[in-house]
Amino acid sequence: MDAYDQLVNRIIDAVVEFIAGEELYDDDTQVEINPKTFEVKLVDGDTDSDDLDYYSVMDLVNMPADDSGEWSVDEDAVQSVAGEYFED
């Protein structure tokens, strides 16, 4: 598995964690990515460090199209974020 795929999987894991524990997080929760190590974690929306990158987790989920109320990972959005680190 190459570095791009690893980053995609780490972002997906963070979004799945958010969805599974939705009541534990605020809507302003962010996915924090260390651009040097590709470490990924969920952080509070007020978190900010110049050395790290932040993406709103709400931009990485699909809202339910039915009455289930269940969010899902927006894989296109996740791939777009990961792709920003591997552009030529």
Side-chain angles (χ1 to χ4, degrees):
M1 182 180 305
D2 64 13
Y4 169 81
D5 290 331
Q6 289 177 0
L7 180 57
V8 166
N9 288 336
R10 289 176 183 166
I11 297 169
I12 288 173
D13 288 347
V15 175
V16 167
E17 177 183 337
F18 172 79
I19 292 169
E22 169 188 350
E23 65 282 349
L24 302 174
Y25 300 100
D26 294 326
D27 285 346
D28 67 345
T29 298
Q30 302 178 97
V31 173
E32 177 185 270
I33 301 175
N34 182 321
K36 294 179 182 172
T37 65
F38 296 134
E39 179 182 351
V40 176
K41 64 181 177 179
L42 293 173
V43 296
D44 185 69
D46 296 333
T47 305
D48 189 20
S49 172
D50 292 339
D51 297 335
L52 304 171
D53 298 329
Y54 299 92
Y55 300 88
S56 171
V57 73
M58 296 304 291
D59 292 339
L60 303 174
V61 298
N62 288 315
M63 300 302 174
D66 56 20
D67 292 333
S68 70
E70 294 181 23
W71 294 341
S72 61
V73 176
D74 183 339
E75 293 191 22
D76 290 337
V78 169
Q79 291 172 359
S80 177
V81 167
E84 291 179 21
Y85 296 94
F86 296 94
E87 293 177 342
D88 292 330

